[in-house]
């Protein structure tokens, strides 16, 4: 079993208290069928900020917590044991860490002070698994401005965003070096959004950019460096998705054990049945194995090593694992696990989607891992 260092355990305890005080009541409300708004999450967000959990990966000189990757993942794992996790603030795209002057005041400072929020738009209808070649959206210079044309799809968090960090091709060649980063205000008349309903009541958006004109300050970072910055953000996100899966799996396992102990069937506790015992033991083993692997890979990244392949492995294996654990938990609960009055049904939707976003399982397995092993 993986054991955290003392300071990491203290951090996890801190998150657990905030979740218990602010997020657990939201989970109860959600399970009663209430619709939660962004404002409902603000008390937990503010409590986290006061506790120093602001900008988890942000450098300290920018006011962030500057946690190691291990500590970030420990915080996320604990947070996602709740169906309504804390929405941490101070999240900033990697491409904006070093903005200066007017760009800094326009984009970076509002994000750091929680005045504005952003969403990340990389995937296109042509496919998101191979963005270096799939990105066809283009940006061209025109009279001191940039004009963007193209579309993005499956974009999350657009509803709450003030601007979109979007990636467009600024060179003719279909290569990673031809992609640049732009910040587009949500109010830009050249940006048209269409909501796309998803599993579990989620909503993503398709974004159409039609002669969308932005000034030169909206170009973030050097021209042609967009894909490199996106890759860095995606690698971190893949580790985070793995940690989310660990937290959800652990909560499902605990629910499965508690239900099996108290549920009486055929004159005995459900936990006495070998088939149920097998599901519980299998789940426990899988969670421990994946936790060990996740934090070992995070430690490698914290030592400054390239961990992009490990990020793919963690994302792929943890999301596959959580699907199996959720399924066993629902099977143990029977019909009670199939209602949206139970967190398990919500996590079932989440778990299924997690095998696709941030790169489908098959892409990580056959494009990233197999290519690395066979070259």
């Amino acid at each position: 079993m993986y054991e955290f260092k003392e300071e990491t355990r203290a951090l996890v305890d801190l998150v657990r208290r905030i979740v218990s005080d602010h997020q657990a009541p939201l989970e109860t409300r959600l399970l009663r069928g209430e619709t939660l708004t962004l404002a409902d999450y603000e008390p937990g967000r503010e409590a986290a900020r006061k506790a120093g959990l602001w900008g988890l990966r942000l450098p300290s000189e920018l006011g962030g917590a500057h946690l190691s990757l291990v500590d970030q993942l420990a915080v996320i794992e604990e947070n996602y044991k709740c169906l309504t996790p804390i929405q941490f603030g101070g999240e900033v795209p990697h491409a904006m860490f070093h903005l200066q002057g007017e760009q800094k005041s326009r984009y970076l400072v509002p994000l750091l002070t929680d005045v504005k929020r952003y969403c990340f738009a990389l995937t296109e209808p042509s496919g998101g698994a191979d963005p270096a070649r799939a990105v066809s959206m283009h940006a061209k210079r025109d009279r001191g401005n940039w004009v963007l044309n193209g579309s993005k799809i499956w974009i999350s968090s657009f509803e709450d965003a003030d601007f979109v960090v979007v990636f467009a091709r600024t060179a003719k060649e279909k290569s990673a070096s031809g992609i640049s980063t732009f910040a587009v205000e949500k109010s830009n008349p050249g940006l048209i959004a269409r909501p796309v309903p998803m599993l579990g009541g989620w909503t993503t958006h398709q974004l159409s950019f039609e002669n969308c004109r932005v000034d030169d300050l909206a170009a973030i970072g050097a021209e042609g460096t967009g894909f490199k910055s996106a890759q860095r953000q995606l690698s971190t996100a893949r580790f985070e998705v793995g940690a989310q899966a660990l937290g959800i799996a652990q909560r499902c396992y605990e629910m499965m054990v508690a239900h099996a102990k108290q549920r009486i069937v055929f004159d005995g506790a459900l936990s006495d049945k070998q088939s149920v015992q097998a599901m519980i033991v299998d789940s426990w083993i899988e969670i421990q194995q994946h936790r060990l692997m996740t934090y070992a890979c995070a430690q490698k990244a914290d030592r400054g090593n390239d961990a992009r392949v490990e990020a793919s492995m963690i994302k792929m294996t943890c999301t596959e694992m959580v699907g199996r654990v959720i399924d066993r938990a629902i099977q143990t609960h029977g019909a009670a696990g199939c209602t949206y009055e139970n967190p398990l049904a919500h996590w079932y939707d989440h778990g299924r989607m997690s095998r696709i976003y941030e790169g489908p399982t098959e892409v990580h397995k056959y494009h990233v891992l197999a290519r690395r092993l066979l070259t």
Side-chain angles (χ1 to χ4, degrees), residues 22-278:
H22 298 282
Q23 309 310 122
L26 296 185
E27 178 179 293
T28 301
R29 289 174 54 190
L30 182 66
L31 296 176
R32 286 201 302 254
E34 295 185 33
T35 299
L36 301 178
T37 67
L38 198 61
D40 292 315
Y41 285 86
E42 283 304 316
R45 187 180 176 94
E46 183 60 25
R49 181 174 190 164
K50 289 180 179 178
L53 296 172
W54 187 259
L56 300 185
R57 62 173 178 259
L58 201 64
S60 53
E61 58 267 26
L62 293 178
H66 199 206
L67 299 182
S68 67
L69 184 58
V70 167
D71 284 352
Q72 289 177 48
L73 300 187
V75 166
I76 291 168
E77 180 184 348
E78 185 63 34
N79 190 32
Y80 270 78
K81 292 177 183 176
C82 181
L83 185 60
T84 50
I86 304 165
Q87 296 184 355
F88 293 108
E91 294 301 314
V92 175
H94 284 288
M96 292 187 178
F97 278 8
H98 305 294
L99 294 183
Q100 298 295 325
E102 193 173 343
Q103 278 191 318
K104 181 178 180 178
S105 60
R106 183 189 289 188
Y107 300 115
L108 183 59
V109 173
L111 289 176
L112 295 176
T113 56
D114 210 30
V115 173
K116 290 187 176 182
R117 300 183 186 187
Y118 80 98
C119 66
F120 185 86
L122 177 62
T123 302
E124 298 191 2
S126 58
D130 185 15
R133 279 164 286 275
V135 170
S136 60
M137 179 171 170
H138 59 270
K140 294 182 178 180
R141 287 190 178 276
D142 180 63
R143 292 172 293 173
N145 292 325
W146 287 94
V147 178
L148 283 65
N149 280 283
S151 63
K152 302 291 181 179
I153 199 165
W154 318 128
I155 307 306
S156 58
S157 304
F158 177 79
E159 293 162 310
D160 303 325
D162 296 284
F163 61 86
V164 183
V165 176
V166 62
F167 298 85
R169 195 166 294 283
T170 51
K172 291 182 178 179
E173 65 271 14
K174 287 279 187 177
S175 67
S177 60
I179 298 172
S180 302
T181 310
F182 298 88
V184 180
E185 297 290 336
K186 190 174 178 179
S187 58
N188 191 305
L191 170 57
I192 302 167
R194 179 181 72 87
V196 183
M198 307 292 285
L199 274 176
W202 292 3
T203 299
T204 63
H205 281 78
Q206 180 171 8
L207 308 180
S208 298
F209 298 82
E210 299 179 2
N211 293 320
C212 181
R213 186 175 290 271
V214 297
D215 63 25
D216 206 44
L217 289 174
I220 306 300
E223 188 173 338
T225 62
F227 184 71
K228 185 176 180 180
S229 69
Q231 263 196 325
R232 186 177 177 187
Q233 186 149 339
L234 287 171
S235 289
T236 302
R238 286 164 181 163
F239 269 113
E240 292 174 348
V241 170
Q244 292 172 14
L246 286 173
I248 293 169
Q250 180 64 34
R251 173 79 182 283
C252 291
Y253 162 78
E254 292 169 0
M255 290 177 64
M256 188 172 10
V257 171
H259 181 78
K261 286 182 177 179
Q262 62 86 30
R263 178 66 169 168
I264 304 299
V265 293
F266 301 111
D267 299 322
L270 193 59
S271 58
D272 293 335
K273 313 306 177 186
Q274 286 187 339
S275 59
V276 174
Q277 292 172 356

